[in-house]
Amino acid sequence: TSSFPVYTQEEVTKHRSLEEGVWVTYKGGVYDITEFVAMHPGGDKILLAAGGALEPFWALYAVHGQDHVLDILSGYKVGELSPEDVKQQQQNRDTADPYSNDPPRHPALSVNSLKPFNAEPPPALLTDNYITPSALFFKRNHLPVPKVDPETYRLEIEGLPGGPVSLSLEELKSRFPKHTITATLQCAGNRRSEMNKVKTVKGLNWGIAAISNATWSGARLRDVLLYAGFGPEVAAQAKHVQFEGLDRDVTGTVYGASIPLNKAINEEGDCLLAYEMNGEALPADHGYPVRAVVPGVVGARNVKWLGKIVVSEEESKSHWQQNDYKGFSPGTDWDTVDFKSAPAIQELPIQSAITQPSEGSSVDRSMEEVTVKGYAWSGGGREVVRVDVSVDGGKTWHVANLQNSQKGQGPAPSPPPGRAWAWKLWEIAVPLPPEAQELEIVCKAVDNSYNSQPDSVAPIWNLRGVLSNAWHRVKVKIDE
Ligand code: MTE
Ligand code: MO
């Protein structure tokens, strides 16, 4: 039994402003979060829940439903919700799960968050195939998967002199040549868990597999923009191409991002409005029926369930372009961070990681060598030219063998300069050092601009845990 007063929903509903107080309910409790909202810039999103239940919001942003948030909330408890109202809420909830349209997923995925769905494949599976099977491709959704009817789907294109243009899926497929590229997508938060070990960061705790490689087919973004009226007079003014998704939050805000105009319009940019992934229609989780594929650029700009393209002098105004997916100094904290002061991440830095063996596993001394496998990739179309592997923590190094195609198919021809969009898998057998009882396996990659990875995490730590690309290290025991 609790000592808190009991409130009806009607009473709670009266508190929905900073002046009247901001009350919310959560699991039958009533909370006065006025102080919390006033203290937290951006906490105003929570005002939308004011006077009502937090649950539908946490269903949308389940990643916030973490223990520390519950701890914070408990400090603001002022009462209990009346039992009749609790029952009513439960009934509403059962019929209003915004995630009820989400597709089934492969059980092998390791799930970081269910609602929205975020998951990565087990590292050892990741590098079994040069092309990641779509079911195992990492999935990064900020919102529920929208239901899109291919018959009524329209892609709107705005910001060009002839006025808005609207294309059906059929038109997108039939009016423009179909172009196919192999491109790796990587989330800005890949390997965030390693930053978390240095000092807590905000975001999904990704391991090393928020990266995958697929073939993508569709219309060239360039062809579609030219068709829609892009010309020299636009080029003189516009600087960005904005994308809007059809996925939306409870307030109707859609996912959005933008890329530089040059990347979108350049013949060698290879940007696609993709309707196929690995030779099949895009799966629901990957943007059915159409997504932007912006090769060499951070996952966040590869907008899924693409509904609108806007050619503009300005970047996307979306939260994810303006106030997220930016890098900062290790010295910048949540009190001092100014998101306006840093550019939005576009091209990603050089990256590599070890997928085999796994941390804490062991190798048998009688094997005499250890086989190490992994992936390497760089942003901006820069080609990985070398991967160095050490089994003694970085004292001595060996050069790994690079693979740029599916095994058994022979090496693919080298991509044209500046257009290496796909990762390389690598592998090497290193002799076991005679005296060692434990190995510290390390990898680092080099791209054709001779960019290399930093040796440790701390100097690149940042509060959002993005751009985590230090040498990857894995400790393995030797069984005598
Ligand atoms: N597009 C929409 N419409 N909504 C999203 O939540 N997530 C972005 C991007 N495009 C997202 C989106 C992010 S952060 C990443 S890393 C990639 O999609 C992930 O693509 P995938 O799920 O196909 O791997
Ligand atoms: Mo991402």
Side-chain angles (χ1 to χ4, degrees), residues 118-177:
N118 289 287
E120 61 190 301
L125 287 186
L126 182 64
T127 47
D128 271 356
N129 289 286
Y130 181 72
I131 300 293
T132 317
S134 303
L136 294 177
F137 200 101
F138 84 99
K139 300 177 202 317
R140 204 292 176 237
N141 300 340
H142 292 83
L143 298 163
V145 173
K147 205 182 199 127
V148 186
D149 177 355
E151 297 301 320
T152 57
Y153 169 82
R154 312 294 300 184
L155 175 61
E156 314 288 343
I157 302 144
E158 296 177 5
L160 294 169
V165 169
S166 161
L167 292 169
S168 70
L169 182 57
E170 199 37 52
E171 287 167 334
L172 194 66
K173 289 183 179 174
S174 59
R175 288 203 184 154
F176 307 95

Side-chain angles (χ1 to χ4, degrees), residues 233-245:
E233 67 287 15
V234 187
Q237 294 259 317
K239 292 197 181 69
H240 305 275
V241 174
Q242 305 176 359
F243 301 119
E244 285 183 14

Side-chain angles (χ1 to χ4, degrees), residues 205 260 343 372 398:
N205 204 33
V372 186
H398 312 260

Side-chain angles (χ1 to χ4, degrees), residues 265-285:
I265 205 71
N266 191 324
E267 258 178 290
E268 303 192 339
D270 286 327
C271 294
L272 294 187
L273 303 176
Y275 42 78
E276 283 177 16
M277 175 182 190
N278 294 336
E280 292 174 345
L282 283 180
D285 267 324

Side-chain angles (χ1 to χ4, degrees), residues 318-329:
S318 102
H319 165 81
W320 297 279
Q321 189 78 19
Q322 301 288 336
N323 296 321
D324 203 353
Y325 296 115
K326 293 185 173 187
F328 293 97
S329 160

Side-chain angles (χ1 to χ4, degrees), residues 259-430:
I259 59 169
L261 174 65
N262 282 346
K263 173 66 179 171
I265 205 71
N266 191 324
E267 258 178 290
E268 303 192 339
D270 286 327
C271 294
L272 294 187
L273 303 176
Y275 42 78
E276 283 177 16
M277 175 182 190
N278 294 336
E280 292 174 345
L282 283 180
D285 267 324
H286 298 289
Y288 182 82
V290 177
R291 85 175 297 169
V293 172
V294 186
V297 162
V298 65
R301 317 298 171 215
N302 291 248
V303 174
K304 306 191 273 191
W305 314 291
L306 187 63
K308 194 190 275 186
I309 300 174
V310 184
V311 179
S312 173
E313 285 171 53
E314 293 184 339
E315 280 188 276
S316 163
K317 288 269 181 289
S318 102
H319 165 81
W320 297 279
Q321 189 78 19
Q322 301 288 336
N323 296 321
D324 203 353
Y325 296 115
K326 293 185 173 187
F328 293 97
S329 160
T332 301
D333 62 24
W334 286 101
D335 293 326
T336 56
V337 66
D338 172 11
F339 273 90
K340 285 190 193 62
S341 69
I345 300 170
Q346 296 284 349
E347 293 180 354
L348 284 169
I350 176 93
Q351 177 68 288
S352 71
I354 300 157
T355 54
Q356 232 174 285
S358 62
E359 174 74 28
S361 60
S362 38
V363 288
D364 209 286
R365 168 65 67 191
S366 67
M367 300 297 290
E368 289 171 10
E369 56 183 29
V370 57
T371 299
V372 186
K373 292 186 187 182
Y375 65 76
W377 180 77
S378 190
R382 287 176 287 274
E383 183 175 1
V384 169
V385 295
R386 203 184 75 227
V387 173
D388 299 326
V389 176
S390 169
V391 299
D392 55 13
K395 287 194 206 76
T396 58
W397 296 93
H398 312 260
V399 176
N401 301 306
L402 303 179
Q403 174 200 336
N404 71 348
S405 64
Q406 197 72 20
K407 268 218 164 106
Q409 291 187 352
S414 258
R419 293 163 85 182
W421 310 127
W423 66 12
K424 291 191 183 175
L425 301 183
W426 53 265
E427 186 172 335
I428 185 173
V430 184

